[in-house]
Amino acid sequence: MSEKRLITPRKLSGFMELEPAKQILFDKMVEKIKNVYSQSAFMPLDTPVLEYSEILLAKSGGSIDKEVYAFKKGDNDICMRYDLTVPLARYVAMNVGSMSFPFKRYQIGKVFRGEKAQKGRFREFVQCDADIVGLDELPIVADAECLSIVDKVFKALGLKILNHISNRNILFGYCEALGEGEKTSDILVVLDKINKIGKENAVKELLEMGVSSENSQKLIEITLKCGKFDDILSEIENLSDNPTFQKGVGELKEISSYLKALGVDENCYVLDLGIIRGQNYYTGTVFEAMMPEHPEFLTVCGGGRYDNLAGYFTDKKLPGVGLSIGLTRLFDLMDSAGMLEEVKPTNIDLQIIPMGDTLNECLSLKSYFGGTIVCDINYENRSFKSKMKEANKKQIPFILIVGENEVTSKLYSLKNMITGEQYTLSKEDCLKMVEGKR
């Protein structure tokens, strides 16, 4: 008889798997974010994990990006979603005739990217997105609303952020004004990485692509402007009369006014013209939120305006603005930095321990308690002492002992595992005590 070969249990790299206690913390963060989105009048949407490849790959002209998980099932070419924005565009394009605008939706779900797994970079991760989509037009106040939601979300999470806000029209227009309009896309690629490569290397790359020395210095100088919103606006508003440049200035002035009206603390955001965000679909407002006390976290939330959301799927103009939080990455960074609150090994408030033939009574009690508190029964065939040790190990705050006398009298022995006190109470009083100590 051949021996059974055991398969070594192992997990793919880049896929987070939390122990239950930490999953509870993760779920609490999700719930807080969801509450902010819901209270801000955004509606939930849950699109499929799998989409037709021609939908997800529309931006790349149908070629399969190396980071996309793609496969064939029957005659269908299928991809796993790599973000939540393209599925949103597909959904809006499919339902534009029956929708009311502006359409405010939030979606919290997993996305998949087949990139190299490393610290802070996952192949499967949870994104928490909120977007506002308009039909034909979308007022700039929607941008300010999304920015205020970023502020609310991180306040709800108890995290201090500084939101770096800009408008791509500033650099678009400035490039045109300097006579470098044809090189704008390449110039922005260089300016977007100036903090990584440094000023000297940025100038070198600009010179290599044919930008004059004078213009290179001007582009670097404006890109590095960062500070109080109104102060930076005053510095730049007269730098150029280029229409695109002035459009960006005007939109930023509007946003400044709206953020004040929305009550967003001016110490929680800055105007940072170095925020470009590499994705080409951004057309105006862009932002990246960072945590000043943890600069090593880099960007913890980002987003912006895109005026051609569903251009691959419909001729209708559907401008949008949105934000995205990579929660898996943020949670992992907080965990590594020791920022997570201490949690118990379990969320159980009360554990019932049967003594003798009292399991049916225990089940009835579990049903009674279950609608109000988290209650469980230890029905394993083990000694009372070992059950108490297990409850203590799990840091369960209350134990209810149910023997035959308790079944008869309907008075139960409730033990507070923290103080060691023990009470004889009715089930109603037991519930009140446990609920009062939660």
Side-chain angles (χ1 to χ4, degrees):
M1 184 176 177
S2 61
E3 291 186 8
K4 179 182 178 182
R5 186 180 72 87
L6 295 177
I7 299 172
T8 303
R10 55 203 177 105
K11 179 175 69 70
L12 285 167
S13 63
F15 290 75
M16 177 181 277
E17 187 173 66
L18 298 173
E19 60 186 76
K22 286 188 178 178
Q23 188 65 50
I24 289 171
L25 285 182
F26 188 92
D27 291 347
K28 282 182 179 179
M29 292 180 73
V30 169
E31 196 60 33
K32 288 176 181 178
I33 296 170
K34 186 185 295 185
N35 286 340
V36 171
Y37 290 166
S38 296
Q39 289 167 9
S40 302
F42 284 67
M43 298 295 288
L45 180 67
D46 186 17
T47 58
V49 168
L50 302 180
E51 297 270 4
Y52 286 112
S53 295
E54 67 175 351
I55 298 294
L56 283 184
L57 303 177
K59 288 192 295 184
S60 62
S63 61
I64 296 178
D65 190 288
K66 62 182 179 180
E67 293 185 358
V68 176
Y69 285 105
F71 60 95
K72 193 156 186 168
K73 182 69 174 176
D75 294 331
N76 295 319
D77 288 314
I78 297 169
C79 287
M80 300 179 78
R81 65 188 184 201
Y82 58 84
D83 73 2
L84 300 177
T85 304
V86 177
L88 169 64
R90 188 264 309 152
Y91 176 86
V92 174
M94 285 179 65
N95 297 281
V96 63
S98 59
M99 293 172 62
S100 297
F101 292 92
F103 175 59
K104 298 181 178 181
R105 86 85 172 87
Y106 74 85
Q107 183 168 358
I108 299 176
K110 289 185 174 181
V111 298
F112 305 85
R113 295 181 187 174
E115 57 188 350
K116 183 180 179 181
Q118 51 188 296
K119 187 63 180 174
R121 203 172 276 273
F122 293 86
R123 290 170 172 168
E124 176 192 67
F125 55 97
V126 173
Q127 275 190 198
C128 306
D129 286 17
D131 291 79
I132 306 174
V133 181
L135 179 61
D136 296 327
E137 62 178 6
L138 184 66
I140 293 299
V141 67
D143 301 38
E145 185 174 4
C146 282
L147 292 167
S148 74
I149 290 171
V150 174
D151 185 66
K152 289 178 183 177
V153 163
F154 283 92
K155 277 186 168 61
L157 293 175
L159 301 175
K160 183 179 179 181
I161 61 157
L162 184 64
N163 204 356
H164 294 244
I165 305 166
S166 188
N167 189 300
R168 285 168 67 101
N169 288 312
I170 297 293
L171 291 179
F172 287 156
Y174 202 56
C175 286
E176 291 174 2
L178 295 174
E180 307 286 0
E182 293 182 1
K183 304 185 187 80
T184 297
S185 294
D186 293 332
I187 289 172
L188 291 187
V189 170
V190 175
L191 298 180
D192 194 27
K193 59 183 180 179
I194 190 170
N195 290 326
K196 293 180 180 178
I197 65 174
K199 290 170 59 175
E200 290 184 8
N201 287 325
V203 170
K204 182 181 177 182
E205 290 193 22
L206 291 173
L207 292 173
E208 287 175 353
M209 68 174 66
V211 180
S212 71
S213 177
E214 182 182 359
N215 285 349
S216 295
Q217 292 296 335
K218 287 181 178 180
L219 287 165
I220 297 293
E221 184 179 339
I222 192 172
T223 302
L224 292 176
K225 288 188 180 294
C226 176
K228 289 288 186 182
F229 222 85
D230 293 341
D231 291 347
I232 301 299
L233 276 173
S234 296
E235 286 184 34
I236 69 167
E237 62 180 334
N238 296 319
L239 281 180
S240 171
D241 58 3
N242 175 273
T244 305
F245 183 92
Q246 286 300 320
K247 180 175 187 287
V249 170
E251 290 177 351
L252 286 171
K253 284 183 176 180
E254 272 195 74
I255 284 176
S256 178
S257 171
Y258 296 142
L259 290 178
K260 290 171 185 174
L262 287 164
V264 181
D265 186 347
E266 291 184 51
N267 293 314
C268 293
Y269 61 94
V270 292
L271 179 52
D272 183 351
L273 299 183
I275 299 301
I276 297 170
R277 295 189 67 76
Q279 294 92 330
N280 289 329
Y281 55 76
Y282 287 121
T283 56
T285 303
V286 282
F287 57 89
E288 293 183 0
M290 303 171 194
M291 295 174 60
E293 295 175 1
H294 291 276
E296 72 277 12
F297 286 12
L298 303 178
T299 302
V300 295
C301 173
R305 164 156 307 230
Y306 36 85
D307 281 333
N308 194 25
L309 171 67
Y312 297 102
F313 312 125
T314 177
D315 291 331
K316 294 184 181 295
K317 187 178 180 183
L318 296 164
V321 60
L323 63 105
S324 182
I325 301 168
L327 189 58
T328 301
R329 176 180 174 273
L330 176 60
F331 188 89
D332 183 62
L333 290 169
M334 290 175 64
D335 190 11
S336 298
M339 295 173 62
L340 298 179
E341 63 180 274
E342 190 174 341
V343 289
K344 299 186 302 179
T346 179
N347 63 341
I348 298 172
D349 299 310
L350 173 68
Q351 185 161 87
I352 302 172
I353 298 180
M355 300 289 289
D357 189 17
T358 62
L359 183 56
N360 283 345
E361 178 74 7
C362 292
L363 291 169
S364 296
L365 288 167
K366 177 179 169 63
S367 177
Y368 173 75
F369 294 129
T372 309
I373 60 174
V374 181
C375 176
D376 195 21
I377 303 172
N378 190 331
Y379 42 67
E380 290 186 308
N381 187 22
R382 296 162 59 193
S383 69
F384 175 74
K385 185 177 180 180
S386 67
K387 291 180 180 181
M388 291 294 284
K389 281 185 177 180
E390 184 66 22
N392 199 47
K393 181 180 177 182
K394 291 180 177 178
Q395 300 178 36
I396 298 172
F398 286 94
I399 298 298
L400 193 70
I401 303 164
V402 182
E404 293 179 3
N405 290 337
E406 284 78 11
V407 173
T408 302
S409 66
K410 300 301 179 184
L411 296 173
Y412 307 94
S413 297
L414 180 70
K415 182 168 184 176
N416 186 321
M417 296 292 284
I418 299 171
T419 66
E421 295 174 290
Q422 190 158 323
Y423 311 89
T424 302
L425 302 169
S426 66
K427 65 180 182 180
E428 292 82 6
D429 287 338
C430 286
L431 179 57
K432 287 178 184 178
M433 179 167 286
V434 175
E435 192 178 10
K437 298 290 185 180
R438 294 178 75 191

